[in-house]
Amino acid sequence: MTPLERAAALALLKERTREGEDPAATERQHAKGKLTAYERIELLLDKDSFQEMDGLRRHRASGFGMELRRPHSDGVVTGWGTVHGRTVFVYAHDFRIFGGALGEAHASKIHKLMDLAEVSGAPLVSLNDGAGARIQEGVTALAGYGGIFRRNTRNSGVIPQISVMLGPCAGGAAYSPALTDFVFMVRETSQMFITGPDVVRAVTGEEVSMDGLGGADVHAEISGVAGFAYDDEESCLEEVRYLLALLPQNNRELSPVETTDDPADRVNDALLDLVPADPNRGYDMRAVIEEIVDDGETFEVHARWATNIVCTLARLDGHVVGIIANQPSSMAGVLDIHASEKAARFVTTCDAFNIPLITLVDVPGFLPGVSQEHGGIIRHGAKLLYAYCDATVPRVSVILRKAYGGAYIVMDSQSIGADVTLAWPTNEIAVMGAEGAANVIFRREIAAADDPDSVRAQKIEDYKSELMHPYYAAERGLVSDVIDPRDTRRALIRSLRMLRSKHADLVSRKHGNPPA
């Protein structure tokens, strides 16, 4: 063959690999509302930027008829490209080949890609649509997963790792997404579970569908496994692109800075109406955040799980920040087990990737109750405390209204290392609410009074005026400044500009031992 003929043969081979060995398999994939691996990669990456790696790889397994079927790519497409002009590594299971099941060659391709992402210092995105370990290859397939898990862990906090669930992910395979930084799911087509409905039925007698057991809404609302859930693959992958635009390439870099026409000194007049002065009235903290950040744009993580706390990425003065805020419209904004876990994970993620933290505080305390205590609210609440204390990025907190008890301390108070602590003149910082405090401190006096209700009311007012007035913490140096709510955006931006060159020396240690 001439060189030209060889080049033509190569192009034909690659085209056949892309189209798949069985056209009917592609039709079945589309009939389920699912795209092929190559189509997904085209949506994720910038146009014509994908460079495939190991596209001609074939398995070496024998037995069970495997030697008679050796398709190129071995059921996974690997390579790199760009998203908004920055390098991103990606692998995508090809469900048309062995149902996307992982074998030795398949795993080896992923290992090689993960190692390249690590040494290159660029994000890794996995597009998951596979049937788990390839049964015909036995323990070598399981060892392949072990190699993925080890690399997920080694790269944790080093490069952003994003898992996109676009099909089934069962058994041990589900642990790789669980080890990554962000998990996206698509409704009706993606599921994650350790044991499927058939096993659940056989062992427990429970009847449940695949979506009911591990669908997108289950993991976005109940388990907290998925941070995001979408109706279709196109919108899901577009949001992955947006997230990548907010993240740095690795832990040694900062997130991209965007120019903005939103003035740094814009006055927030709307905040006077958005947040009621009455501490017992609820409001939507998301509206407060949108008023403060650049152009009102946010990217909320776990929006439908643990809704009593909000964790979102946004920009201030063009720079990416992570915002953690109590949500008074849900459970009055209390901290409970799930809210503590959600916020702790978000704080740790932001700290790992050099994203400054903004904390908006309006918290009445930790949720009381037997179920919370028996469920381990102490150790779960300690996870959030540990995450904040361990964070070295710039940290600015703003107390809007209530900040009571241990929850005040945990929500990035000055005493645990916040660099700048601001407060509105509506702030109430105390061990507990005035009513509860008065009942404890003046219990005997109230009980002995001829008019207990009148005495109790007076003692509540005395406690408020003595210990809960808005300048009490500022007078003792526990709040950097009390600010006009309308100046919140300006104060945050000024604080972050000052902290931009912050450097924190860490104590020498192998690693910490965070609460379980």
Side-chain angles (χ1 to χ4, degrees):
M1 295 177 67
T2 67
L4 184 60
E5 289 172 333
R6 289 182 183 277
L10 174 62
L12 180 60
L13 176 59
K14 289 189 174 182
E15 183 62 28
R16 286 177 177 171
T17 300
R18 179 185 177 87
E19 292 178 354
E21 61 176 0
D22 181 9
T26 300
E27 294 177 6
R28 288 193 295 270
Q29 186 82 343
H30 288 163
K32 296 175 183 176
K34 298 163 65 175
L35 302 175
T36 66
Y38 288 98
E39 290 169 340
R40 289 163 173 166
I41 290 172
E42 286 180 354
L43 285 175
L44 173 68
L45 300 178
D46 296 337
K47 186 176 181 180
D48 297 328
S49 71
F50 180 56
Q51 176 62 54
E52 188 171 1
M53 182 179 73
D54 284 347
L56 301 181
R57 186 72 181 268
R58 303 167 80 181
H59 72 75
R60 299 176 294 180
S62 61
F64 306 102
M66 290 293 290
E67 66 277 6
L68 303 177
R69 187 183 174 197
R70 299 179 62 234
H72 292 100
S73 84
D74 201 43
V76 64
V77 181
T78 60
W80 67 89
T82 60
V83 174
H84 304 299
R86 298 190 301 157
T87 299
V88 171
F89 289 83
V90 58
Y91 69 85
H93 298 133
D94 192 340
F95 197 82
R96 301 173 302 173
I97 298 175
F98 300 127
L102 180 140
E104 180 189 21
H106 181 125
S108 178
K109 291 177 63 174
I110 296 175
H111 296 168
K112 184 188 293 187
L113 186 83
M114 296 178 79
D115 291 342
L116 271 176
E118 178 183 348
V119 298
S120 301
L124 174 71
V125 178
S126 62
L127 306 181
N128 298 269
D129 185 8
R134 194 174 297 172
I135 299 173
Q136 298 92 327
E137 296 195 33
V139 71
T140 56
L142 297 178
Y145 272 122
I148 293 173
F149 302 158
R150 179 163 56 90
R151 288 168 173 83
N152 283 141
T153 304
R154 192 172 68 211
N155 288 329
S156 180
V158 178
I159 57 172
Q161 299 181 81
I162 300 173
S163 297
V164 188
M165 316 310 298
L166 302 168
C169 185
Y175 284 113
S176 177
L179 289 169
T180 60
D181 301 304
F182 301 96
V183 177
F184 289 72
M185 295 189 73
V186 175
R187 294 183 181 91
E188 297 184 2
T189 59
S190 65
Q191 300 89 25
M192 295 174 66
F193 37 69
I194 300 301
T195 53
D198 292 340
V199 176
V200 170
R201 184 183 307 110
V203 174
T204 71
E206 297 171 291
E207 293 286 343
V208 64
S209 66
M210 290 182 66
D211 271 335
L213 181 62
D217 289 326
V218 167
H219 288 309
E221 296 179 14
I222 301 173
S223 73
V225 170
F228 315 91
Y230 300 94
D231 291 328
D232 56 76
E233 295 188 14
E234 291 81 0
S235 59
C236 178
L237 292 171
E238 183 59 36
E239 291 297 278
V240 174
R241 285 176 57 85
Y242 184 70
L243 173 59
L244 286 167
L246 296 170
L247 299 174
Q249 289 292 89
N250 54 64
N251 65 342
R252 301 182 302 277
E253 299 183 10
L254 299 176
S255 297
V257 180
E258 285 193 355
T259 56
T260 177
D261 295 327
D262 197 345
D265 59 354
R266 173 168 55 83
V267 177
N268 302 124
D269 290 316
L271 294 182
L272 296 179
D273 296 321
L274 286 174
V275 181
D278 181 353
N280 295 318
R281 287 184 57 193
Y283 61 93
D284 189 351
M285 183 64 82
R286 292 187 182 93
V288 174
I289 296 170
E290 290 170 2
E291 169 62 25
I292 294 170
V293 302
D294 292 354
D295 304 309
E297 294 184 1
T298 64
F299 190 78
E300 188 172 353
V301 181
H302 289 296
R304 296 160 58 200
W305 178 61
T307 55
N308 42 323
I309 201 159
V310 175
C311 298
T312 189
L313 295 170
R315 280 191 167 89
L316 273 171
D317 198 26
H319 294 261
V320 176
V321 296
I323 300 175
I324 304 95
N326 306 109
Q327 176 58 291
S329 68
S330 176
M331 299 171 61
V334 297
L335 288 177
D336 64 353
I337 289 172
H338 288 161
S340 299
E341 288 186 316
K342 171 180 169 178
R345 172 70 171 179
F346 186 73
V347 168
T348 301
T349 301
C350 290
D351 184 54
F353 294 114
N354 307 312
I355 298 174
L357 295 168
I358 303 294
T359 305
L360 304 180
V361 185
D362 191 349
V363 61
F366 281 95
L367 181 65
V370 174
S371 63
Q372 287 290 304
E373 296 294 348
H374 289 186
I377 185 61
I378 295 173
R379 60 186 175 86
H380 289 290
K383 291 178 183 178
L384 179 54
L385 179 60
Y386 187 100
Y388 269 125
C389 290
D390 204 41
T392 60
V393 293
R395 291 156 52 188
V396 182
S397 64
V398 184
I399 301 168
L400 281 61
R401 296 194 310 185
K402 300 185 295 295
Y404 294 162
Y408 152 67
I409 302 172
V410 169
M411 288 296 293
D412 206 19
S413 62
Q414 182 172 294
S415 61
I416 66 168
D419 298 298
V420 177
T421 51
L422 306 172
W424 288 4
T426 47
N427 81 82
E428 294 183 356
I429 306 174
V431 175
M432 63 177 68
E435 292 80 1
N439 286 335
V440 172
I441 298 173
F442 307 107
R443 178 178 66 254
R444 293 179 180 176
E445 188 174 342
I446 292 172
D450 294 332
D451 187 355
D453 291 339
S454 177
V455 172
R456 180 182 293 107
Q458 182 58 51
K459 294 303 181 183
I460 290 172
E461 288 303 314
D462 291 345
Y463 185 84
K464 284 183 177 180
S465 62
E466 181 70 23
L467 296 177
M468 293 181 65
H469 63 81
Y471 308 112
Y472 183 85
E475 290 171 358
R476 285 152 181 79
L478 298 175
V479 168
S480 305
D481 195 16
V482 179
I483 63 171
D484 186 323
R486 294 171 293 186
D487 293 332
T488 302
R489 173 178 166 85
R490 176 168 55 188
L492 288 174
I493 289 175
R494 286 181 174 180
S495 298
L496 290 174
R497 284 177 177 174
M498 176 271 294
L499 291 165
R500 203 153 287 156
S501 59
K502 176 184 176 181
H503 174 75
D505 290 320
L506 299 176
V507 175
S508 177
R509 62 182 177 181
K510 186 175 181 180
H511 56 73
N513 188 21

